[in-house]
Amino acid sequence: MMAKLPKSIVIEGRRYPTWGLSAKARKQLINLSLVDAHIAELQQRLAHHYVAREHYQLLLKDALPDPRRQPTAAETTRYFWQSVSKAWAQKHWPLSTPSLGLDAFESTSHFRQGDRVLCYVKGHGVVGWGVVEVDTHSTKRHVVWRVGVPTLDAALPAKILKEFSLRHPSRSSQALPSTADIEGLLSALATKAA
């Protein structure tokens, strides 16, 4: 289908009647009209994309957490290494009771109710984890074990900790980094303990 040409065109301030144009000039006028139509279509599509972008930006804003909101208990859970000597582990492992008083460890004054403690035995690896609970009658704190390997030889060795973005503890008690794959580590430990 042939594009309909205007009666005249203005180029550089001068008007030309289309009936007086050569076939070559008419062909270029048609090409120019087609390109102008395509540009107009693209501008319309771009306008639609800008509207869609604003819409999605509002939806994103609504989906973000409110900075004034208090974090939930799950978001504030703290995880710690508790490193123990091989001699200590040989005396206490495997665990004979479901809980252990925190006074059995050194430097545990920073632990609070709900903290997760991962027990690391030097020379073996991660042997178990538990939750810090406070005895309401005596206010003594203890670790209630959730997972424990049956023997020290079944521990998760230090060499695989890098798979969970972790390193073995360098102090007797220290917080695990927030960047670590703690859920992955706990899952691997549960598999070893099964």
Side-chain angles (χ1 to χ4, degrees):
M1 182 176 134
M2 187 124 179
K4 187 174 179 184
L5 297 176
K7 290 184 180 181
S8 63
I9 57 166
V10 177
I11 305 284
E12 296 181 353
R14 189 165 174 197
R15 183 171 298 276
Y16 297 90
T18 24
W19 59 265
L21 297 177
S22 68
K24 187 176 181 182
R26 283 183 185 201
K27 183 176 180 183
Q28 296 314 317
L29 182 58
I30 291 170
N31 288 340
L32 186 61
S33 297
L34 291 173
V35 169
D36 284 343
H38 190 64
I39 288 172
E41 178 191 341
L42 289 174
Q43 286 173 330
Q44 188 176 12
R45 288 175 61 190
L46 187 59
H48 288 304
H49 285 297
Y50 276 122
V51 169
R53 185 182 191 285
E54 285 180 26
H55 174 71
Y56 292 128
Q57 195 168 16
L58 285 172
L59 291 176
L60 172 61
K61 184 181 172 191
D62 289 343
L64 292 174
D66 184 347
R68 297 164 295 183
R69 182 182 64 85
Q70 293 297 317
T72 64
E75 292 170 326
T76 58
T77 300
R78 304 184 319 162
Y79 292 86
F80 290 89
W81 284 127
Q82 182 59 52
S83 182
V84 296
S85 67
K86 197 182 251 188
W88 184 95
Q90 288 169 340
K91 181 179 174 186
H92 293 90
W93 215 269
L95 296 167
S96 55
T97 59
S99 68
L100 179 71
L102 278 177
D103 52 1
F105 301 128
E106 292 178 13
S107 42
T108 58
S109 59
H110 58 276
F111 289 145
R112 65 184 186 210
Q113 172 89 15
D115 284 349
R116 274 43 174 177
V117 178
L118 285 84
C119 189
Y120 184 91
V121 178
K122 294 175 185 171
H124 287 280
V126 188
V127 294
W129 74 275
V131 179
V132 174
E133 292 191 4
V134 178
D135 184 344
T136 53
H137 301 294
S138 65
T139 67
K140 284 189 175 180
R141 293 169 303 144
H142 51 273
V143 176
V144 177
W145 296 105
R146 297 294 170 89
V147 172
V149 295
T151 65
L152 293 177
D153 292 333
L156 281 177
K159 65 183 178 185
I160 71 158
L161 292 179
K162 61 184 168 189
E163 293 176 22
F164 308 105
S165 302
L166 284 166
R167 294 182 62 236
H168 63 80
S170 57
R171 297 188 303 275
S172 61
S173 183
Q174 68 187 78
L176 272 69
S178 58
T179 54
D181 177 14
I182 296 169
E183 292 303 319
L185 175 67
L186 297 182
S187 177
L189 189 60
T191 301
K192 280 276 204 173

